[in-house]
Coordinates of all heavy atoms in Angstrom, one line a residue:
A533 N -28.5 -1.9 13.0 CA -27.5 -2.3 13.9 C -27.4 -3.9 14.0 O -26.6 -4.4 14.8 CB -27.7 -1.8 15.3
D534 N -28.2 -4.6 13.2 CA -28.2 -6.0 13.2 C -28.1 -6.5 11.7 O -28.6 -5.9 10.8 CB -29.4 -6.6 13.8 CG -29.4 -6.3 15.3 OD1 -28.6 -6.8 16.1 OD2 -30.4 -5.5 15.8
G535 N -27.5 -7.7 11.5 CA -27.5 -8.3 10.2 C -26.8 -7.5 9.2 O -27.2 -7.4 8.0
L536 N -25.7 -6.9 9.5 CA -25.0 -5.9 8.7 C -24.0 -6.5 7.8 O -23.3 -7.5 8.2 CB -24.4 -4.8 9.5 CG -25.3 -4.0 10.5 CD1 -24.5 -3.0 11.2 CD2 -26.4 -3.4 9.7
T537 N -23.8 -6.0 6.6 CA -22.6 -6.3 5.8 C -21.4 -5.7 6.5 O -21.4 -4.6 7.0 CB -22.8 -5.6 4.4 OG1 -23.9 -6.1 3.8 CG2 -21.5 -5.9 3.5
P538 N -20.3 -6.5 6.5 CA -19.1 -6.0 7.2 C -18.5 -4.7 6.5 O -18.8 -4.4 5.4 CB -18.1 -7.1 7.0 CG -18.9 -8.3 6.7 CD -20.1 -7.8 5.9
V539 N -17.7 -3.9 7.3 CA -17.0 -2.8 6.7 C -16.0 -3.5 5.8 O -15.2 -4.4 6.1 CB -16.2 -2.1 7.8 CG1 -15.4 -1.0 7.2 CG2 -17.2 -1.5 8.9
T540 N -16.0 -3.0 4.5 CA -15.3 -3.7 3.5 C -14.5 -2.7 2.6 O -15.0 -1.6 2.3 CB -16.3 -4.4 2.6 OG1 -17.0 -5.3 3.3 CG2 -15.5 -5.2 1.5
F541 N -13.3 -3.1 2.2 CA -12.5 -2.3 1.2 C -12.9 -2.8 -0.1 O -12.8 -3.9 -0.5 CB -11.0 -2.5 1.4 CG -10.2 -1.8 0.4 CD1 -10.2 -0.4 0.3 CD2 -9.5 -2.5 -0.6 CE1 -9.5 0.3 -0.7 CE2 -8.8 -1.8 -1.6 CZ -8.8 -0.4 -1.6
Y542 N -13.5 -1.8 -0.9 CA -14.0 -2.2 -2.3 C -13.0 -1.6 -3.3 O -12.6 -0.5 -3.3 CB -15.3 -1.5 -2.5 CG -16.4 -2.1 -1.7 CD1 -17.1 -1.3 -0.8 CD2 -16.8 -3.4 -1.8 CE1 -18.2 -1.8 0.0 CE2 -17.9 -3.9 -1.1 CZ -18.5 -3.1 -0.2 OH -19.6 -3.6 0.6
N543 N -12.6 -2.5 -4.2 CA -11.7 -2.2 -5.3 C -12.0 -3.1 -6.5 O -11.3 -4.0 -6.8 CB -10.2 -2.2 -5.0 CG -9.4 -1.7 -6.1 OD1 -9.8 -1.2 -7.1 ND2 -8.0 -1.9 -6.0
W544 N -13.2 -2.9 -7.1 CA -13.6 -3.8 -8.1 C -12.7 -3.7 -9.3 O -12.4 -2.6 -9.8 CB -15.0 -3.5 -8.6 CG -16.0 -3.6 -7.4 CD1 -16.6 -2.6 -6.7 CD2 -16.6 -4.8 -6.9 NE1 -17.4 -3.0 -5.7 CE2 -17.4 -4.4 -5.8 CE3 -16.4 -6.1 -7.2 CZ2 -18.1 -5.3 -5.1 CZ3 -17.1 -7.1 -6.5 CH2 -18.0 -6.7 -5.4
G545 N -12.1 -4.8 -9.8 CA -11.2 -4.8 -10.8 C -9.7 -4.7 -10.4 O -8.8 -4.7 -11.2
N546 N -9.5 -4.6 -9.1 CA -8.2 -4.5 -8.5 C -7.3 -3.4 -9.1 O -6.2 -3.6 -9.6 CB -7.4 -5.9 -8.7 CG -8.2 -7.0 -8.0 OD1 -8.9 -6.8 -7.0 ND2 -8.1 -8.2 -8.6
K547 N -7.9 -2.2 -9.2 CA -7.2 -1.1 -9.8 C -6.2 -0.5 -8.9 O -6.2 -0.6 -7.7 CB -8.3 0.0 -10.2 CG -9.4 -0.5 -11.0 CD -8.9 -0.9 -12.4 CE -10.1 -1.3 -13.3 NZ -9.7 -1.8 -14.6
K548 N -5.2 0.1 -9.6 CA -4.1 0.8 -8.8 C -4.5 2.3 -8.8 O -4.9 2.9 -9.8 CB -2.8 0.7 -9.5 CG -2.2 -0.8 -9.5 CD -0.8 -0.8 -10.0 CE -0.3 -2.3 -9.9 NZ 1.1 -2.4 -10.5
Y549 N -4.3 2.9 -7.6 CA -4.7 4.3 -7.4 C -3.4 5.2 -7.4 O -2.4 4.8 -6.8 CB -5.5 4.5 -6.1 CG -6.9 4.0 -6.1 CD1 -7.2 2.6 -6.0 CD2 -7.9 4.9 -6.4 CE1 -8.5 2.2 -6.0 CE2 -9.2 4.4 -6.4 CZ -9.5 3.1 -6.2 OH -10.8 2.7 -6.3
Y550 N -3.6 6.3 -8.0 CA -2.5 7.3 -8.1 C -2.6 8.2 -6.9 O -3.7 8.9 -6.7 CB -2.5 8.1 -9.4 CG -1.5 9.2 -9.4 CD1 -0.1 9.0 -9.6 CD2 -2.0 10.5 -9.3 CE1 0.8 10.1 -9.6 CE2 -1.1 11.6 -9.3 CZ 0.3 11.3 -9.4 OH 1.2 12.4 -9.5
K551 N -1.6 8.4 -6.1 CA -1.6 9.2 -4.9 C -1.3 10.6 -5.2 O -0.4 10.9 -5.9 CB -0.7 8.7 -3.8 CG -0.8 9.4 -2.4 CD 0.0 8.7 -1.4 CE -0.2 9.3 0.0 NZ 0.7 8.7 1.0
M552 N -2.2 11.5 -4.7 CA -2.0 13.0 -4.9 C -2.4 13.7 -3.7 O -2.9 13.1 -2.7 CB -2.7 13.5 -6.1 CG -4.2 13.3 -6.0 SD -5.2 14.1 -7.4 CE -4.5 13.2 -8.8
D553 N -2.2 15.0 -3.6 CA -2.7 15.8 -2.5 C -4.1 16.3 -2.8 O -4.5 16.3 -3.9 CB -1.7 16.9 -2.1 CG -1.4 17.9 -3.2 OD1 -2.4 18.2 -4.0 OD2 -0.3 18.4 -3.3
R554 N -4.7 16.8 -1.8 CA -6.1 17.2 -1.9 C -6.2 18.4 -2.9 O -7.2 18.5 -3.7 CB -6.8 17.6 -0.6 CG -8.3 17.8 -0.6 CD -8.8 18.1 0.8 NE -8.4 19.4 1.2 CZ -9.1 20.5 0.9 NH1 -10.2 20.5 0.2 NH2 -8.7 21.7 1.4
E555 N -5.3 19.4 -2.8 CA -5.3 20.6 -3.6 C -5.3 20.2 -5.1 O -6.0 20.7 -5.9 CB -4.2 21.5 -3.2 CG -4.4 22.2 -1.9 CD -4.1 21.3 -0.7 OE1 -3.5 20.2 -0.9 OE2 -4.6 21.6 0.4
K556 N -4.4 19.3 -5.4 CA -4.3 18.9 -6.8 C -5.5 18.1 -7.3 O -6.0 18.3 -8.4 CB -3.1 17.9 -7.0 CG -2.8 17.5 -8.4 CD -1.6 16.7 -8.5 CE -1.3 16.2 -10.0 NZ -0.1 15.4 -10.1
F557 N -6.1 17.3 -6.4 CA -7.3 16.6 -6.7 C -8.5 17.6 -7.0 O -9.2 17.4 -7.9 CB -7.7 15.7 -5.5 CG -8.9 14.9 -5.7 CD1 -9.0 13.8 -6.4 CD2 -10.1 15.3 -5.1 CE1 -10.1 13.0 -6.6 CE2 -11.3 14.6 -5.3 CZ -11.3 13.5 -6.0
L558 N -8.6 18.6 -6.2 CA -9.7 19.6 -6.4 C -9.5 20.3 -7.7 O -10.5 20.6 -8.4 CB -9.7 20.6 -5.2 CG -10.2 20.1 -3.9 CD1 -10.3 21.3 -2.9 CD2 -11.6 19.5 -4.0
K559 N -8.3 20.6 -8.1 CA -8.1 21.3 -9.4 C -8.6 20.3 -10.5 O -9.2 20.7 -11.5 CB -6.6 21.6 -9.6 CG -6.2 22.8 -8.7 CD -4.7 23.1 -8.9 CE -4.2 24.2 -8.0 NZ -2.8 24.5 -8.2
Y560 N -8.3 19.1 -10.3 CA -8.7 18.1 -11.3 C -10.2 17.9 -11.4 O -10.8 17.9 -12.5 CB -8.0 16.7 -11.0 CG -8.6 15.5 -11.7 CD1 -8.3 15.3 -13.0 CD2 -9.4 14.6 -11.0 CE1 -8.9 14.2 -13.7 CE2 -9.9 13.5 -11.6 CZ -9.7 13.3 -13.0 OH -10.2 12.2 -13.6

């Protein structure tokens, strides 16, 4: 609870994400 790294959004390489629904993701 002390000396923590901040809550951070990580996207190494600045990639673009394709949005899908969970059901399609599970099939994949």
Side-chain angles (χ1 to χ4, degrees):
D534 294 295
L536 305 179
T537 299
V539 178
T540 304
F541 177 67
Y542 293 117
N543 183 9
W544 301 102
N546 303 329
K547 304 297 185 180
K548 293 185 178 181
Y549 285 83
Y550 173 75
K551 188 173 183 179
M552 59 173 61
D553 59 35
R554 191 179 70 87
E555 289 73 18
K556 182 176 180 180
F557 178 81
L558 288 184
K559 290 180 181 179
Y560 166 73

